Amino acid sequence: MPRLTLGRVTTAVGVAVAAVRLLAPWSLNLFDMKVVDLRHLVRGALAPAPEVAIVAIDEDSLARLGRWPWPRTRMAELITAVTRAEPAAIGLDVVFDHRDEALDTSLVEEAVAAAPRRPAVELLAAVRGRGDARLVDALRASGRSVLAYFFELDGPPDPELPAQMAGLPELTVRTTGGAEVRAVGVLLA
């Protein structure tokens, strides 16, 4: 009969824990997340690291700069200003999931100043899409911005998605609410 040694007991416990983690149902994952929440609650708040700065869109910002959503030109100005401080990265927790349809008055004023006698139809054509273009320019010039994204797992994936994703770095996907990795497998291929 083999002797129980500390190494064998440790290995057996490790294999058992690994098996439970690999085969864990959603409820066990939920329990695990709640344990992590409790550990953070018990630990208490940590002071942020001095090298991290959060540029927040808060109530004071909204009071000074106007209601949300801000024009894309304002977001471009914000990215440009933050880029001048030379951060290692700029993370935007804002999803730009549609074209900017708002007319930014600063763009209209610029277009009118450039050609005061231009007909209104031409004026609108000149400013339409300029906010998005300025945001794209600011993001490219920054070279250190990361945008928020979300997955929609309804329906079949776009057939062109693998080609679009091929040039992007690897994505880490954490499943929630019963979603399965194979549902987004096209992203992981």
Side-chain angles (χ1 to χ4, degrees):
M1 179 167 211
R3 284 188 344 194
L4 285 179
T5 64
L6 181 59
R8 288 182 177 164
V9 170
T10 303
T11 301
V13 169
V15 168
V17 168
V20 167
R21 287 299 299 151
L22 290 173
L23 304 172
W26 169 245
S27 60
L28 193 56
N29 286 334
L30 181 61
F31 175 75
D32 182 48
M33 288 188 272
K34 294 300 180 184
V35 168
V36 170
D37 289 347
L38 180 62
R39 283 185 11 221
H40 288 191
L41 185 64
V42 169
R43 179 199 66 203
L46 297 177
E51 63 273 3
V52 174
I54 296 176
V55 179
I57 301 168
D58 58 5
E59 293 301 322
D60 291 339
S61 304
L62 296 174
R64 274 193 300 135
L65 299 174
R67 68 184 178 150
W68 185 259
W70 288 340
R72 301 283 164 85
T73 52
R74 179 160 295 139
M75 296 302 293
E77 291 166 1
L78 177 64
I79 291 166
T80 301
V82 172
T83 299
R84 276 192 230 115
E86 299 182 358
I90 302 171
L92 285 94
D93 192 15
V94 177
V95 176
F96 300 104
D97 60 344
H98 62 280
R99 294 176 53 132
D100 187 13
E101 298 295 335
L103 280 179
D104 185 347
T105 55
S106 66
L107 292 175
V108 174
E109 289 167 358
E110 285 176 21
V112 168
R117 296 186 182 271
R118 186 183 316 188
V121 172
E122 290 178 21
L123 181 69
L124 286 174
V127 298
R128 185 162 282 129
R130 284 300 310 144
D132 285 329
R134 285 204 182 162
L135 178 60
V136 167
D137 292 344
L139 291 168
R140 282 193 178 124
S142 168
R144 58 191 79 189
S145 299
V146 179
L147 298 176
Y149 63 91
F150 60 91
F151 292 108
E152 290 188 32
L153 302 176
D154 296 337
D158 182 345
E160 295 184 25
L161 190 59
Q164 294 170 358
M165 300 300 289
L168 298 176
E170 179 181 336
L171 297 173
T172 301
V173 177
R174 180 176 184 156
T175 60
T176 60
E180 296 181 16
V181 174
R182 73 173 159 257
V184 291
V186 69
L187 299 176
L188 305 173

